[in-house]
Amino acid sequence: MKNSPSIDEQIEMYRRMIVVRRLEEGLGALHKEGKTRGPIHRCDGQEAVGVAATAMLRETDLVTSTHRGHAHYIGKGLDVYPVIAEIFGRDTGYCGGRAGHMLIADASKGMIGGNAIVGAGIPAATGMALSNQILGNDNVAMCIFGDGASQTGICHEAMNMAGLWKLPVVFVLEHNKFGLTVPTAVQSPVDDISIRAAGYGMPSVIVDGNDPVAVYRAVAGMVERARRGEGPGMVEAKTYRWEGFSTSDMGGYQTPEEIAAWKERDPIRIAFAALKGEVGEARLTRIDEEASEEVRAAFERALSDPFPAYDYHSASAAYSEVN
Amino acid sequence: MSLMRYAEALNAALREEMQRDPSVFIFGEDIGRYGGVFKVTRGLMEEFGESRVRDTPISEQALTAMAVTAAMSGTRPILEIMYADFIPLTLDALVNQASIYDYIWKGQVAMPFVLRTQGGGGAGAGAQHSKALDAMLAHIPGIKVVAPATPADAKGMLKSAIRDQQPVVFLEHKLLYNMRAEVPDDADFLVPLGKAATVREGEHVSIFATSRMVHESLKAAEALEKDGISAEVVDLRSLRPLDVGTIRASVAKTNHAVAVNEGWRFCGYASELSATIMELCFDDLDAPVARVTLPDMAIPYSEPLEMAVLPNADKIRDAVLKTVA
């Protein structure tokens, strides 16, 4: 099937989803031990969106992420060790401990970047697409955003211009059913937010966000259109946030039955089932073990890394000494 | 040199920089087919086409955010926000996006964009089209804020701003667009950002002014001559970074300072200047720094009411007389 991921690509997506899952579990455990700092927004259960939506991109394609971006980072090819080091504020982190887990960027991989202002990634990707169009290259920009962000005013402004100017941008709506602690049904008059795409003259498709192959296919179609200069598209990936809004969320608004039902549809389990017949259980188990070990080692190394030394950012200075 | 209006000088800067660098593009409301409500972008769409000179929807919030990321990904955008009064709509992009990335991402991406806007009163434009929000903008670490007061500076500073690797907010003034003066024709005529200009030498008092208030200060200085007071007038030009070297040197000479800015008084740009001068030049001061500003209220529409609130040469002269008394 056109735009389907190869077996090798599926294996790599499977591996990256395991990396993200172990990262989230590790952060959860370390938060309980009091070793993390500030709120951390886990994406357990949503790995298929970030990993599969970015799997067909080139390094020169630019991605904007959210405050819940760990799967987007790993999907776009960032290494887990400097991601973890950044989360622990270490000198060896992607941004030397200046950005923290919500704002990680690696421009060399096209991740610029996480964004802790909900909705701000939408015009950000649109602006990158505008730049690509003016430069006349065939790179695309991708905005991964949530259902919460889809309610912001800036979402309308940016998508309007993306549609108007046929900008090479793909909007991947990671619909995890909650904006903060409030269910989408209490935030939006429509359940399928992607119906709004019609108002911006762009095609949209709804996809099972827990099935990495389905996400890949849907997004790849939109990426190809955008690359050909046919304009923006939207993919609404339906998924679910297993954990709270952040590590400081006391919970209580998600029913155990609902969480259990979604865990039955664990994207890693779905990927495993899809690949088992092709490559055999033993290989998948080995990949799982190796990915888990990679993350364990990355935590160990990052936690013993040095903290950065403070240095004033002179480009921000209010005064210039002239004369 | 050519005799040019301030608006024409800006137009020349835009044209020259677009000719020089194909990654420069401009966008904003009414700027293409119509040529800009103040005619700054006249003729550019015809010359450079609809891709590099874009009329936009009325979407200040997203446009500013897009300017930030377009700049991060290979182009040099120039965004026109029609009135400074619409700056509050742009603040997420300036405060939470543009200003932070160089530091938190350790210089991974440059952000060479210019946000052009115009502010200030005197045209009967009312409370939502007349403000000078200099202080709100200059408060933000990580962006530059400049405000040329003459056609030559308008051209030379805009060219410098376009070539700068940092975000620059470029503040014009609606009452300056028709001002005519000699402007250098050299395509590489650049006025550096971060450097003030002493536009009149004096001995008894230093008047530090911004934008159109430079010209009111010059009028005040002329009037003060008849009072036997020799006033030095410094056009700060760059609000952030502020050229404190020129300020120190001037106050060391005159021992008196007056800060003039068209924005509000409380937490305003003149307040910042006043505090800076008192911190850096206390030993040289013979009197407290005086401020001349807009009163802390909305800008009225009716002409006598608007003229009553705007700072002007008479108010500057009065402040000087009190300071040197």
Side-chain angles (χ1 to χ4, degrees), chain A residues 10 13-14 17 210 212 266-276 284:
Chain A
Q10 287 188 57
M13 292 194 297
Y14 173 74
M17 288 196 294
N210 282 23
D266 181 342
I268 293 174
R269 199 186 291 185
I270 290 172
F272 184 93
L275 280 168
K276 187 172 61 175
L284 294 174

Side-chain angles (χ1 to χ4, degrees), chain A:
Chain A
M1 186 175 168
K2 192 167 175 291
N3 292 326
S4 287
S6 67
I7 294 299
D8 283 349
E9 283 175 307
Q10 287 188 57
I11 290 171
E12 179 59 14
M13 292 194 297
Y14 173 74
R15 192 189 72 79
R16 289 184 182 189
M17 288 196 294
I18 304 240
V19 167
V20 177
R21 179 66 55 83
R22 298 295 169 259
L23 169 62
E24 304 304 71
E25 291 165 348
L27 290 171
L30 286 160
H31 172 75
K32 287 202 178 76
E33 291 173 29
K35 289 188 178 160
T36 61
R37 194 157 184 274
I40 288 176
H41 309 83
R42 295 174 57 177
C43 66
D44 313 51
Q46 304 177 206
E47 294 91 344
V49 183
V51 168
T54 50
M56 79 295 298
L57 298 179
R58 308 168 179 163
E59 276 195 351
T60 49
D61 293 328
L62 304 176
V63 173
T64 68
S65 176
T66 69
H67 61 286
R68 193 182 305 287
H70 300 163
H72 317 153
Y73 301 151
I74 301 302
K76 194 62 175 58
L78 275 64
D79 294 324
V80 71
Y81 157 62
V83 166
I84 292 173
E86 184 62 35
I87 295 170
F88 285 94
R90 306 301 161 131
D91 199 37
T92 49
Y94 267 113
C95 307
R98 296 173 178 192
H101 98 107
M102 291 186 271
L103 296 170
I104 292 176
D106 178 3
S108 71
K109 297 269 175 61
M111 170 50 72
I112 45 176
N115 208 310
I117 303 295
V118 172
I122 304 170
T126 308
M128 293 168 192
L130 174 60
S131 204
N132 287 338
Q133 187 182 71
I134 283 167
L135 294 170
N137 62 39
D138 71 345
N139 294 329
V140 301
M142 177 177 291
C143 168
I144 307 181
F145 67 116
D147 42 303
S150 75
Q151 317 307 350
T152 62
I154 204 166
C155 177
H156 163 67
E157 289 191 358
M159 288 188 181
N160 181 57
M161 278 182 273
L164 178 69
W165 295 335
K166 295 199 178 305
L167 297 178
V169 54
V170 178
F171 298 104
V172 177
L173 171 54
E174 186 170 4
H175 191 154
N176 71 4
K177 307 231 183 261
F178 294 93
L180 302 167
T181 64
V182 180
T184 313
V186 184
Q187 301 202 34
S188 169
V190 294
D191 191 37
D192 296 332
I193 289 163
S194 55
I195 66 168
R196 297 177 190 170
Y200 306 116
M202 66 172 109
S204 66
V205 59
I206 295 172
V207 69
D208 176 359
N210 282 23
D211 178 348
V213 172
V215 171
Y216 183 105
R217 283 178 182 152
V219 175
M222 294 299 181
V223 167
E224 284 194 1
R225 278 187 86 251
R227 220 185 276 297
R228 287 194 302 262
E230 292 171 26
M234 191 190 299
V235 175
E236 179 171 7
K238 304 273 197 185
T239 185
Y240 187 80
R241 200 188 72 207
W242 292 359
E243 296 292 323
F245 171 74
S246 77
T247 44
S248 59
D249 182 344
M250 306 300 282
Y253 53 88
Q254 291 169 284
T255 67
E257 296 77 19
E258 191 178 42
I259 295 171
W262 277 94
K263 284 190 173 177
E264 283 296 312
R265 305 207 60 257
D266 181 342
I268 293 174
R269 199 186 291 185
I270 290 172
F272 184 93
L275 280 168
K276 187 172 61 175
E278 300 282 347
V279 300
E281 280 196 43
R283 184 165 171 202
L284 294 174
T285 304
R286 196 169 65 246
I287 289 166
D288 187 333
E289 286 166 0
E290 285 170 5
S292 301
E293 172 55 24
E294 180 192 348
V295 177
R296 191 205 59 74
F299 269 109
E300 189 177 297
R301 188 174 160 200
L303 281 165
S304 60
D305 278 345
F307 284 104
Y310 169 72
D311 194 12
Y312 177 67
H313 184 239
S314 56
S316 292
Y319 297 151
S320 62
E321 278 285 352
V322 183
N323 265 357

Side-chain angles (χ1 to χ4, degrees), chain B residues 20-254:
Chain B
R20 193 182 70 87
D21 181 349
S23 75
V24 176
F25 76 95
I26 62 177
F27 63 149
E29 294 153 16
D30 292 341
I31 62 113
R33 286 154 190 84
Y34 189 64
V37 287
F38 299 101
K39 296 297 164 204
V40 172
T41 51
R42 194 194 317 231
L44 297 179
M45 183 181 263
E46 288 84 341
E47 183 171 347
F48 298 101
E50 292 182 22
S51 180
R52 288 177 71 198
V53 182
R54 281 188 196 225
D55 280 319
T56 68
I58 302 165
S59 303
E60 285 86 358
Q61 196 185 356
L63 288 169
T64 315
M66 288 162 63
V68 176
T69 52
M72 278 163 40
S73 49
T75 48
R76 289 182 179 268
I78 302 162
L79 170 64
E80 179 175 314
I81 296 290
M82 198 182 288
Y83 283 83
D85 307 68
F86 312 153
I87 283 292
L89 294 162
T90 72
L91 284 180
D92 180 63
L94 296 176
V95 176
N96 285 317
Q97 318 292 338
S99 62
I100 66 166
Y101 292 142
D102 185 61
Y103 176 69
I104 70 161
W105 291 346
K106 293 186 80 175
Q108 288 185 60
V109 289
M111 263 174 294
F113 81 88
V114 180
L115 187 159
R116 287 183 42 242
T117 190
Q118 62 76 32
Q128 290 174 330
H129 285 69
S130 301
K131 286 191 278 293
L133 295 177
D134 309 0
M136 186 182 280
L137 292 157
H139 183 59
I140 308 163
I143 62 175
K144 293 177 178 170
V145 183
V146 302
T150 65
D153 281 352
K155 183 180 179 192
M157 293 180 81
L158 183 52
K159 288 168 72 77
S160 291
I162 294 168
R163 297 186 193 189
D164 203 276
Q165 290 296 92
Q166 261 193 304
V168 180
V169 176
F170 195 90
L171 299 173
E172 299 158 17
H173 196 292
K174 55 176 73 62
L175 294 193
L176 290 179
Y177 284 126
N178 283 324
M179 178 190 174
R180 288 174 78 149
E182 292 289 342
V183 175
D185 298 315
D186 177 6
D188 283 319
F189 165 63
L190 300 173
V191 174
L193 311 183
K195 187 164 175 20
T198 302
V199 292
R200 179 192 166 107
E201 301 272 349
E203 290 168 33
H204 303 130
V205 62
S206 301
I207 304 174
F208 299 106
T210 61
S211 189
R212 189 174 76 82
M213 289 301 120
V214 171
H215 305 292
E216 293 297 315
S217 299
L218 287 168
K219 277 189 230 164
E222 256 178 59
L224 284 160
E225 254 180 39
K226 298 186 189 83
D227 301 311
I229 293 166
S230 162
E232 179 147 305
V233 178
V234 175
D235 175 359
L236 293 171
R237 300 196 294 195
S238 176
L239 276 54
R240 183 187 186 106
L242 176 64
D243 173 2
V244 288
T246 296
I247 292 174
R248 279 183 215 265
S250 184
V251 176
K253 183 163 68 167
T254 66

